[in-house]
C-alpha cells in the first residue's frame, strides 16, 4: 500500500483550517450508488476527494443519518452509512457485532475499489452508542491491524458525534 502506518495522533486528525481545508470546496453534483448489502449505503459523488464511513446512533432511522451523509456528499466526499441493529448494539455477546462490523469493513473496501477511492483519505464517523460499538468492535477484533490492515493504513481520522452514555436499566429506559 502507498499509505504509511498512521500514528495514534494522525488517526485522530482534526484539520486546523476546518472542513474545507480537509476536503475541498463543496460540489453539488453527485451520483448515488447503493451497495449490494442493504445494511450499508454508499453515496459516491463523481471525483470524490475522500470516503467517510458513518455509523449512526442506536434507534436512528436511515433518513436521519442520511442528512449527515448528504452534507458530506455536497462537499464532494463519498460516504458509506449504516446503523447497527439494536439487538446487536446491546447484546451481551460480541459475535453479532463482530460479524456486522466485518461486513461493514468489507463494504468499505468494496466502495473504495469500485469508486476509485483506494488512494483517497478514509475517515470514520461514529454517532453515540450505536456507532461507537462499531469502533469498539474494530478494536476488540483487531480488524484494522489484521484482515483489514489496508483500511487501517488508509485511515486518516476518526470523528465522534455525541459520546456514548453509560447505560443502566434506569437510564436506558429514560432514553428509549
Amino acid at each position: 500500500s502507498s499509505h504509511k502506518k498512521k500514528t495514534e495522533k494522525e488517526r485522530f486528525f482534526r484539520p486546523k483550517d476546518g472542513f474545507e481545508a480537509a476536503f475541498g470546496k463543496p460540489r453539488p453534483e453527485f451520483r448515488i450508488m447503493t451497495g449490494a448489502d442493504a445494511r450499508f449505503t454508499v453515496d459516491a459523488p463523481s471525483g470524490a476527494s475522500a470516503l467517510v464511513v458513518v455509523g449512526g446512533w442506536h434507534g436512528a432511522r436511515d433518513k436521519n443519518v442520511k442528512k449527515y451523509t448528504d452534507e458530506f456528499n455536497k462537499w464532494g466526499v463519498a460516504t458509506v452509512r449504516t446503523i447497527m441493529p439494536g439487538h446487536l448494539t446491546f447484546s451481551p455477546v460480541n459475535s453479532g457485532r463482530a460479524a456486522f462490523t466485518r461486513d461493514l469493513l468489507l463494504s468499505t473496501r468494496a466502495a473504495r475499489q469500485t469508486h476509485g477511492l483506494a488512494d483517497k483519505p478514509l475517515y470514520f464517523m461514529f454517532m453515540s452508542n450505536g456507532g461507537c460499538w462499531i469502533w469498539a468492535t474494530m478494536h476488540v477484533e483487531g480488524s484494522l491491524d489484521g484482515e483489514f490492515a489496508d483500511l487501517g493504513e488508509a485511515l486518516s481520522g476518526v470523528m465522534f458525534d455525541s459520546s456514548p452514555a453509560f447505560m443502566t436499566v434506569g437510564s436506558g429506559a429514560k432514553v428509549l
Side-chain angles (χ1 to χ4, degrees):
S1 173
S2 63
H3 290 70
K4 66 177 180 87
K5 183 92 172 152
K6 303 278 191 230
T7 66
E8 193 68 9
K9 184 177 180 182
E10 290 170 324
R11 282 189 172 183
F12 291 92
F13 165 77
R14 288 187 176 181
K16 291 180 183 176
D17 298 321
F19 190 85
E20 190 170 317
F23 298 112
K25 295 199 180 283
R27 286 181 262 161
E29 75 290 340
F30 65 92
R31 59 189 164 90
I32 297 175
M33 303 295 288
T34 303
D37 189 328
R39 298 173 298 167
F40 313 111
T41 302
V42 178
D43 296 326
S46 179
S49 62
L51 175 63
V52 177
V53 178
V54 179
W57 60 95
H58 169 72
R61 292 184 179 175
D62 182 66
K63 70 179 185 177
N64 303 123
V65 179
K66 186 178 183 309
K67 290 178 184 179
Y68 290 84
T69 59
D70 283 349
E71 290 302 313
F72 284 113
N73 296 152
K74 287 178 190 175
W75 286 83
V77 175
T79 56
V80 176
R81 75 175 174 274
T82 191
I83 303 162
M84 183 182 287
H87 71 280
L88 299 178
T89 303
F90 295 109
S91 173
V93 295
N94 196 49
S95 60
R97 285 187 295 273
F100 182 88
T101 300
R102 182 176 186 276
D103 290 346
L104 172 61
L105 292 171
L106 287 169
S107 291
T108 300
R109 181 184 281 154
R112 284 171 50 85
Q113 293 167 350
T114 302
H115 300 289
L117 299 166
D119 63 339
K120 306 292 184 191
L122 172 64
Y123 297 92
F124 290 138
M125 179 178 178
F126 300 111
M127 300 174 164
S128 199
N129 285 333
C132 288
W133 268 113
I134 296 169
W135 180 242
T137 303
M138 287 181 195
H139 286 279
V140 167
E141 298 296 316
S143 304
L144 298 176
D145 294 319
E147 180 181 3
F148 299 98
D150 58 314
L151 298 180
E153 290 174 12
L155 187 60
S156 295
V158 179
M159 300 169 267
F160 294 94
D161 180 343
S162 348
S163 296
F166 178 73
M167 294 292 256
T168 64
V169 172
S171 68
K174 287 179 187 176
V175 170
L176 300 175

